[in-house]
Amino acid sequence: MEPPEFTLTAGPTMASHRVLQALGSPIIFDYDPVFLEHFRDTERKLAEVMRTDGDVVLMQGEAVLGLEAAARGLVRPGLRALNLVSGVYAAWFGDWLRAYGADVIEHTVPYDEAIDTADVARLLDDNDGIELVALVHSETPSGVENPLAEIGPLAHRHGALMLADIVSSLAGADVRIDDWHVDLAVAGPQKCLAGPPGMSLISVSERAWQAMADNPTAPRGSFLSLLDWKHTWIDGGRVAFPYTPSVSDVNGVNAALSEVLDSGGVDASVARHALAARATRAGVRGLGLELWPKSDDYAANCVTAVRAPEGIDIPSTLLHIRDRYGVMLSGGYGDLKEKLFRLGHMGPASRSLNPLVAVGAFGRGLADLGADVNVGAGTEAVLAVLSEAHAGEAARA
Amino acid sequence: MEPPEFTLTAGPTMASHRVLQALGSPIIFDYDPVFLEHFRDTERKLAEVMRTDGDVVLMQGEAVLGLEAAARGLVRPGLRALNLVSGVYAAWFGDWLRAYGADVIEHTVPYDEAIDTADVARLLDDNDGIELVALVHSETPSGVENPLAEIGPLAHRHGALMLADIVSSLAGADVRIDDWHVDLAVAGPQKCLAGPPGMSLISVSERAWQAMADNPTAPRGSFLSLLDWKHTWIDGGRVAFPYTPSVSDVNGVNAALSEVLDSGGVDASVARHALAARATRAGVRGLGLELWPKSDDYAANCVTAVRAPEGIDIPSTLLHIRDRYGVMLSGGYGDLKEKLFRLGHMGPASRSLNPLVAVGAFGRGLADLGADVNVGAGTEAVLAVLSEAHAGEAARA
Amino acid sequence: MEPPEFTLTAGPTMASHRVLQALGSPIIFDYDPVFLEHFRDTERKLAEVMRTDGDVVLMQGEAVLGLEAAARGLVRPGLRALNLVSGVYAAWFGDWLRAYGADVIEHTVPYDEAIDTADVARLLDDNDGIELVALVHSETPSGVENPLAEIGPLAHRHGALMLADIVSSLAGADVRIDDWHVDLAVAGPQKCLAGPPGMSLISVSERAWQAMADNPTAPRGSFLSLLDWKHTWIDGGRVAFPYTPSVSDVNGVNAALSEVLDSGGVDASVARHALAARATRAGVRGLGLELWPKSDDYAANCVTAVRAPEGIDIPSTLLHIRDRYGVMLSGGYGDLKEKLFRLGHMGPASRSLNPLVAVGAFGRGLADLGADVNVGAGTEAVLAVLSEAHAGEAARA
Amino acid sequence: MEPPEFTLTAGPTMASHRVLQALGSPIIFDYDPVFLEHFRDTERKLAEVMRTDGDVVLMQGEAVLGLEAAARGLVRPGLRALNLVSGVYAAWFGDWLRAYGADVIEHTVPYDEAIDTADVARLLDDNDGIELVALVHSETPSGVENPLAEIGPLAHRHGALMLADIVSSLAGADVRIDDWHVDLAVAGPQKCLAGPPGMSLISVSERAWQAMADNPTAPRGSFLSLLDWKHTWIDGGRVAFPYTPSVSDVNGVNAALSEVLDSGGVDASVARHALAARATRAGVRGLGLELWPKSDDYAANCVTAVRAPEGIDIPSTLLHIRDRYGVMLSGGYGDLKEKLFRLGHMGPASRSLNPLVAVGAFGRGLADLGADVNVGAGTEAVLAVLSEAHAGEAARA
């Protein structure tokens, strides 16, 4: 079997040729002066994309590692935490918070809705002494985006640390670590950055460092330790690593960050993802199908989730589309596995006519299997949005 | 400015990752035993794709070099040649034949039609002693394919050498050098093979070698000399080159040939190009536009040529499409420059939903500029053909 | 500053073009059927290189992650462990064993000596109920190799689990997981395999799985959990991952393993590393310098450690050699930082005349800085060993 | 059989990773605006490396094509030419001059000597009306460099056109097209530029263009035509090509030129090649062997030619060295095939300790086969020269 021509999934997503070339660059010693400087340069670029003047940490291991490291670092037994759940990943995160001993208040909304800031305000008012608020900015499994821009400052005003999963939002949605008072955020390179799927990209505020330093159960001398990175790398003057970094992954992440910064910057990247998402939603509606998020107000920029039509088997549909049209899409994940399809538009998949390919393959594939879809209306709608944007700039940025 | 996301032109066309990796492989000495064997292996694969047991020659320089070498090698002053013209390249070739001293009978049909075999039969009957018949199998500038399968044997029966330009047909259309008695054929790697645009791939029959050997004006001791390759390389046992081959181009051509042979073979490659062409033609008709070739019977598999709608400026339309949608298409060429658009479907561009991208970008771009096109019908038609093919095999082979 | 031409360090080491191309291959969805099969294929190749019919696990994160996962998985409070220390890494590992609650007997020899099997036998006889024996097969920081072939079976006969750090020995030294009764071994791809420095390659015996399953403190639901891989991936039929694997790293590791298997197999790889090590030692002695390991009997195949001459500053010497000759070598590590130089000969660095480059750059660089070394004798000695091997096969395999 | 680890030949030579990545970059349409500008950028960089404000032409096909194009373009029947022969290529060039009808005065010196400017001055004085002087700047087959810096101006003062083969000297030796009044020069990318071996890089002065325009036998409408490039490309405003350029080769050449310009510029490149040549000559003498050029004053920077010791068979020696040590060197070429070995130090092969590898493999390989060589003295001498250069800058630039 051959790989698909188009990978338009919920991630890992297609990487650009520039990123692939960086991944394939010669491997040098991690203590070579060129690599040390390259590592620092990667940190600087990450901070720029995250819009923070604070520390960033590049840990090796996909974002789940970073999230576990964050949770273990911040949570001491008895910590009072507010976990905001609008999807699969946030629910999973709550399990971790509890496992490490936190006293968790969990606020859950249906997975096709976003968290309402007013609810968070009420909860913070009603529950004294919340020390940590946890939020998934963009729930990749359901294509729902939460209002981190509002919840971050709110948590801050209540004296709580704000911990955000920005795995699939960084570079695809507006993310402002410092302005929004996000104390610890974890991003993944394999989503909207379209880098390799092997690292955790983390921002840490001074308050978060302090909380970890004060936490006797925070990992130390462990691959899961953020503090090891602070002590050995940051405080040591950025000349020694606690663990051997993956030279090739760092090369790839640097290229992915550089690509965002060189192609019009973060705003242009966000605008391009938003346009692709809008075009894809229009296409799905044109096909006559129903989006998963109840409102476009919180439909995510990274993936478009679609309710599976009645009687359609998701796995066999995905294989049919891949087999006949060479296009790989995603199904659901976790609790939503049987309920939805996901069309990804992250990184290169957000450029040019990739949304047309996603909607065309999806619609035609469903039609092949007997679903009642209007293929022509769907594909026409994608193109109409891309055209109306009058946005060669955005489409090509 | 950034490169386009999709290059769906009349060639050079997009190369696969495998071909690109081969092009980027380490350069070694041309007389290294590994390269010598690699060169021979490339010849064997080329012969297999060309379906010949005869000699093949890999000359460096795009196919124009090979065509000039062929014409100069075969044409001696006074040679009686029949040049069959249904397009720009054949007309150009006639100039060469005359320049080198041939006595040329030129049979020309309108550029939106193919040569009729019956006319050729009549011409051969009516004109005694034709020594050379020249035909462009697939006219890339106008997307018209000529019946080489019939004309080759016909020429052979009349004792004439058959010289064929198969630059854009090899691997995209049926080509059978030996069965069809083609004495000298020149292919380009940058069309349906989707290799690098830097070589001429040539087959030479024993009769053609003899004709060159007997021709005192055939180039010798020249970069244009086929005989140099015969004397130094072939007759010398394939251990010494007359000129330094381009190691990287040979690597790329080998990979392109291997890809055809490994992905179902030549027949699968031809079927895939035919399907992409059919889907593209259906899409263009769905848009409400007119194809350039008067009949689908001879519409080429490599590119689909479309008559430019009234009032549409071709160059600015192409730039608009590239700018807004990230898709590069082709306009006309030579005498046809002002008359048509060309949507390429060669190599990777013939796979998966690339025809949808071509038709979508083309239709939507024309609509943006005021043309009366039905974008939804066009894109729907592309997908309908690809679906009806029931041909995951063909689409993905 | 430009990267060095030669990276002849203790790792990460230079990767071959084949590995680099694999790292730079298109990134596809981790649940694409092609990737799922590629992942399984990587496991099969790893098992072949490790010479085991048991399970292997590919975790993401450099080998320290795998070692921590192994220690946390196997060690329950009160476990009786024998830690054998002949170098920096084994000492570090002892800290982990104690941190997780093991009751550790630590047997330490000077870091320029290897563990003596007789001592281990005596310790196992004298201390009833040892449940775990831990050994670093090849101490990269000091270039000393320990007799795992003898200690593994010994531990087995005493009913203890054998845990081995084979990070820098796999593919460079003889490693036989099943024959030697190694219950849990952790290798790194960035050493003799010369792959990317981002994964842990782990073998787990049935007894080791059982011990983890029986251990209530073994990580579960954690990036550090081996059991998560067993439950989700292995027991689930190898169709679902507990965590997103790094597609690019897996591509690189697969290529590195394939390269070993395709180039004569594991034995040829080991022979080539042994030859490079022998040539390097001869060269260092020819220079008039002293090797760190007291005996060649246990000098490692991966790096050659050399005692720093009196009065020579290691960091500035390394920078001088890099600056003037374009060759990056390693200094010491941990407690040995100020005491020795290390010349790496792993992966591509073990091929061809790379040992000559290492010895030449090292000797000439020391001479530049005033050390009394015989450059000609050193370089001559390297070549004499390579020549005497009469081993085109080994040198090139 | 596997490729060698080191290709230290007379060219094609090893390319850098940067050049390889450029060769493996996506292929786009030759009329894409990005490629058009990239082509012009390549011309500008070539002109800078050639130190000319005049026109440059990038023809596809190895340098022999460019030389043939130059000779055919400039030579009309009866043209009075002075051909200066100190090696194989110049002799070959004389055959061409005569074949195209020139009235040739040929001045030949032994192939281990350089042309003496005084002889040229005398010949120009003694032979009225010389219209063309032809010189090979650097004879790759014998490693001899001729005084183009003196002969160019001399020819100019006598009113003759100066035609120079700078195939293997550009970027390795001082070349100043405008200052030295070189009217037509042809360089190859696969020598000291270390690019792909598929193009001819040509400078043309106004006088040379005029001579071609006035020459009725200059190729027109031919792949060999420089005038076609002038008329279609240059005079047309650099928007249309006479022939399809090889997108991948142009990418590679651009990268190779950029690398020279970015790594300290042309002077640094020349200094590095000179240093490598000096080190290699010292090494060869240290081995106890005899250089081919009678004087170091004219030993070339690109390759070091060495007289084969008595009783040594060149081809089997080369294979032995390649087989046992993984190093590919060159033998002789043409008339010198049986007489000498050549150690290349071009491009990456001139960097770092590649000269040590060349001398070490060569010396040890000869010793293996019974030659009387002092391996230690040879390798020591290479390193001594590199060290004495006190030239981290030069060695690494």
Side-chain angles (χ1 to χ4, degrees), chain A residues 118-144:
Chain A
D119 291 339
V120 181
R122 187 179 41 75
L123 284 159
L124 286 168
D125 286 341
D126 292 356
N127 295 277
D128 261 9
I130 296 283
E131 298 165 274
L132 177 76
V133 176
L135 179 75
V136 175
H137 189 196
S138 170
E139 274 282 355
T140 331
S142 44
V144 167

Side-chain angles (χ1 to χ4, degrees), chain B residues 28-322:
Chain B
I28 61 173
F29 191 37
D30 55 336
Y31 281 102
D32 191 282
V34 163
F35 182 74
L36 285 168
E37 179 52 26
H38 193 63
F39 195 90
R40 292 177 209 122
D41 180 65
T42 309
E43 291 183 319
R44 286 189 294 264
K45 284 174 174 154
L46 175 59
E48 186 176 349
V49 169
M50 284 185 157
R51 304 186 196 267
T52 181
D53 294 330
D55 287 330
V56 296
V57 179
L58 303 168
M59 288 180 87
Q60 208 207 322
E62 69 123 334
V64 165
L65 167 88
L67 291 166
E68 183 176 352
R72 287 185 185 268
L74 291 177
V75 176
R76 59 166 210 289
L79 175 103
R80 285 174 61 82
L82 171 60
N83 190 39
L84 303 169
V85 180
S86 73
V88 171
Y89 281 135
W92 190 4
F93 200 75
D95 293 340
W96 272 351
L97 295 177
R98 283 181 289 272
Y100 311 147
D103 176 9
V104 182
I105 298 169
E106 201 150 270
H107 170 62
T108 303
V109 298
Y111 287 6
D112 49 6
E113 294 181 20
I115 299 290
D116 186 324
T117 307
D119 290 339
V120 181
R122 186 180 40 76
L123 283 160
L124 285 169
D125 286 340
D126 292 356
N127 294 277
D128 260 9
I130 296 283
E131 298 166 273
L132 177 75
V133 175
L135 179 75
V136 175
H137 189 197
S138 171
E139 273 283 355
T140 332
S142 45
V144 166
E145 186 178 319
N146 287 307
L148 178 60
E150 299 164 11
I151 295 173
L154 193 58
H156 185 69
R157 282 199 299 277
H158 281 79
L161 290 169
M162 181 75 226
L163 193 164
D165 170 337
I166 57 167
V167 171
S168 66
S169 59
L170 188 67
D174 201 25
V175 173
R176 298 176 181 275
I177 295 300
D178 287 0
D179 289 356
W180 298 351
H181 299 287
V182 179
D183 291 291
L184 204 156
V186 179
Q190 82 276 25
K191 304 288 183 180
C192 296
L193 285 171
M199 296 193 79
S200 292
L201 312 178
I202 307 169
S203 73
V204 190
S205 74
E206 280 308 313
R207 288 180 66 215
W209 280 133
Q210 193 57 53
M212 282 187 263
D214 294 346
N215 179 7
T217 65
R220 288 170 174 84
S222 166
F223 202 76
L224 283 173
S225 173
L226 280 158
L227 287 172
D228 288 4
W229 279 92
K230 176 153 177 61
H231 296 154
T232 304
W233 174 249
I234 298 175
D235 294 347
R238 292 187 163 83
V239 295
F241 302 109
Y243 308 104
T244 304
S246 172
V247 176
S248 43
D249 283 324
V250 172
N251 288 342
V253 169
N254 190 299
L257 293 164
S258 300
E259 198 154 45
V260 167
L261 295 172
D262 294 350
S263 298
V266 180
D267 286 339
S269 177
V270 171
R272 194 181 66 240
H273 283 86
L275 175 61
R278 228 164 5 106
T280 304
R281 289 198 300 271
V284 168
R285 287 199 177 98
L287 294 174
L289 299 172
E290 198 182 345
L291 294 167
W292 173 262
K294 281 199 186 139
S295 164
D296 278 20
D297 291 349
Y298 44 74
N301 284 348
C302 58
V303 299
T304 292
V306 186
R307 280 168 211 273
E310 279 295 310
I312 287 292
D313 177 64
I314 296 174
S316 60
T317 303
L318 292 171
L319 283 176
H320 168 79
I321 292 170
R322 186 193 185 286

Side-chain angles (χ1 to χ4, degrees), chain D residues 76-90:
Chain D
R76 57 166 214 289
L79 175 103
R80 285 174 62 82
L82 171 62
N83 190 39
L84 303 169
V85 180
S86 73
V88 172
Y89 280 135

Side-chain angles (χ1 to χ4, degrees), chain D residues 235-276:
Chain D
D235 294 347
R238 292 189 161 82
V239 295
F241 302 109
Y243 307 105
T244 305
S246 173
V247 176
S248 43
D249 282 325
V250 172
N251 287 342
V253 169
N254 190 298
L257 292 165
S258 300
E259 197 154 45
V260 167
L261 295 172
D262 294 350
S263 298
V266 180
D267 286 339
S269 178
V270 171
R272 193 182 65 240
H273 283 86
L275 175 60

